């Protein structure tokens, strides 16, 4: 793995070129261009705010605590991070099957292609950060939130999420070449993960529910739970994950990365033969 990382670093310029190409191709025939990376999560946030912040505001506010007065910020923070997750997983799954000609002709580490999809979607997430910060400033001025040291949760959340997504991208892209059902299966998994992760609702809603203890423990084994708690903790310090959840998230993400890298290297000969 160390030699693979070194080889990947030596071809970082190729990675940058692939990311720029993917972004250019994705938006070249779009009038609004990169604005779509902002419009979609903002539109989703408006819908969920109407449902849970207006229609069910009483039930929602009871579990949100200090976030009740700034629920739109809570929503947008989670949805922006989720768009990075869902888009990266969807596009990384077919990163090899959709670029077979490049893969068989370019002399670069093949990991560049799925990692490039994750990096490209991160660029879209980063483009939305100014909007997120502007919304947070408005709530901070009105005293609805009080950000401080918790702002340091952002780089930690991004780093752990990147580790997890790269591991999953390597794993899914390789297996999808050999079993095309993986791409269809991931469409269902992504939908399930959206509601099985505290994105539009607080983690306390699950912890205080009547679910069996073993099911709550299984729920927190999902690394995305701790990652999205870190994202929410940027503005709401009380949402910062506890030591056990944070350790589970970091260790789980690292294990996924190791498993993804190992699987990719083991399957690479069969993948190249199939392509």
């Amino acid at each position: 793995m160390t030699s693979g990382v070194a080889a990947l670093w030596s071809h970082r310029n190729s990675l940058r070129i692939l990311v720029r190409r993917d972004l250019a191709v994705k938006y070249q025939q779009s009038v609004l261009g990169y604005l779509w990376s902002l419009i979609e999560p903002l539109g989703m946030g408006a819908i969920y705010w109407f449902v849970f912040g207006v229609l069910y505001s009483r039930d929602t506010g009871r579990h949100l605590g200090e976030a009740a007065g700034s629920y739109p910020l809570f929503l947008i923070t989670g949805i922006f991070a989720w768009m990075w997750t869902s888009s990266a997983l969807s596009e990384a799954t077919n990163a090899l099957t959709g670029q077979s000609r490049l893969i068989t002709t370019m002399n670069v580490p093949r990991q560049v292609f799925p990692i490039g999809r994750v990096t490209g979607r991160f660029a879209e997430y980063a483009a939305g950060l100014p909007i997120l910060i502007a919304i947070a400033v408005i709530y901070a001025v009105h005293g609805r939130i009080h950000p401080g040291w918790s702002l340091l949760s952002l780089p930690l959340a991004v780093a752990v999420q990147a580790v997890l997504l790269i591991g999953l991208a390597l794993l899914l892209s390789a297996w999808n070449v050999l079993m095309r059902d993986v791409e269809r299966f991931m469409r269902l998994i992504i939908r399930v993960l959206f509601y099985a992760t505290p994105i539009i609702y607080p983690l306390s809603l699950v912890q205080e529910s009547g679910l069996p203890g073993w099911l709550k423990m299984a729920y927190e084994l999902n690394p995305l739970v701790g990652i999205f708690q870190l994202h929410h903790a940027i503005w709401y310090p009380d949402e910062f994950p506890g030591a056990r959840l944070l350790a589970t998230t970091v260790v789980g993400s690292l294990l996924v990365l190791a498993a993804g890298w190992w699987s990719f290297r083991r399957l690479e000969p069969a993948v190249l033969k199939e392509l």
Side-chain angles (χ1 to χ4, degrees):
M1 185 172 181
T2 302
S3 61
V5 172
L8 189 62
W9 177 254
S10 66
H11 289 85
R12 59 189 181 277
N13 288 332
S14 300
L15 176 61
R16 186 180 70 251
I17 292 171
L18 285 173
V19 170
R20 292 178 62 182
R21 186 211 62 170
D22 288 343
L23 290 173
V25 170
K26 184 176 181 178
Y27 296 110
Q28 67 178 355
Q29 294 182 330
S30 173
V31 176
L32 296 177
Y34 290 106
L35 288 177
W36 280 115
S37 64
L38 305 177
I39 294 173
E40 188 173 357
L42 289 174
M44 289 179 60
I47 293 171
Y48 286 113
W49 170 78
F50 177 74
V51 174
F52 298 105
V54 177
L55 299 182
Y56 295 97
S57 58
R58 182 177 300 178
D59 295 333
T60 303
R62 187 169 65 248
H63 293 280
L64 283 172
E66 65 170 330
S70 54
Y71 184 51
L73 176 61
F74 184 91
L75 273 177
I76 294 300
T77 301
I79 290 176
F80 265 72
W82 171 251
M83 294 303 295
W84 176 21
T85 302
S86 61
S87 299
L89 292 180
S90 298
E91 296 186 20
T93 301
N94 62 9
L96 301 182
T97 55
Q99 304 181 92
S100 57
R101 182 173 299 179
L102 280 176
I103 292 169
T104 54
T105 56
M106 289 183 65
N107 185 23
V108 297
R110 275 75 186 192
Q111 294 94 328
V112 163
F113 296 94
I115 293 176
R117 295 297 176 86
V118 176
T119 307
R121 303 297 74 77
F122 169 72
E124 294 176 339
Y125 168 75
L129 284 179
I131 302 296
L132 186 62
I133 293 172
I135 297 173
V137 168
I138 294 173
Y139 281 112
V141 169
H142 289 83
R144 300 288 184 87
I145 62 172
H146 306 280
W149 64 266
S150 60
L151 293 174
L152 297 176
S153 298
L154 176 58
L156 178 59
V158 168
V160 179
Q161 187 170 352
V163 167
L164 177 65
L165 292 180
I166 289 173
L168 289 173
L170 293 171
L171 188 66
L172 295 171
S173 61
W175 278 107
N176 188 54
V177 175
L178 305 177
M179 296 185 298
R180 300 302 172 94
D181 291 336
V182 172
E183 185 175 356
R184 296 180 177 87
F185 183 67
M186 281 307 299
R187 296 173 189 169
L188 173 62
I189 294 299
I190 289 173
R191 293 177 184 175
V192 172
L193 283 176
F194 179 78
Y195 293 102
T197 306
I199 300 170
I200 61 176
Y201 59 85
L203 179 59
S204 59
L205 184 62
V206 177
Q207 294 173 334
E208 297 171 8
S209 67
L211 294 172
W214 65 268
L215 189 56
K216 294 179 182 179
M217 186 175 298
Y219 174 89
E220 293 185 3
L221 288 176
N222 173 13
L224 288 174
V225 172
I227 289 171
F228 278 88
Q229 284 300 103
L230 286 172
H231 279 288
H232 288 309
I234 298 169
W235 320 114
Y236 311 102
D238 290 344
E239 296 294 321
F240 195 87
R244 187 183 68 178
L245 179 57
L246 183 60
T248 301
T249 299
V250 173
V251 172
S253 299
L254 290 173
L255 288 176
V256 170
L257 175 62
W261 196 284
W262 179 82
S263 296
F264 193 95
R265 293 300 299 269
R266 290 295 299 270
L267 295 173
E268 189 172 0
V271 166
L272 291 176
K273 183 179 179 181
E274 185 70 22
L275 291 176

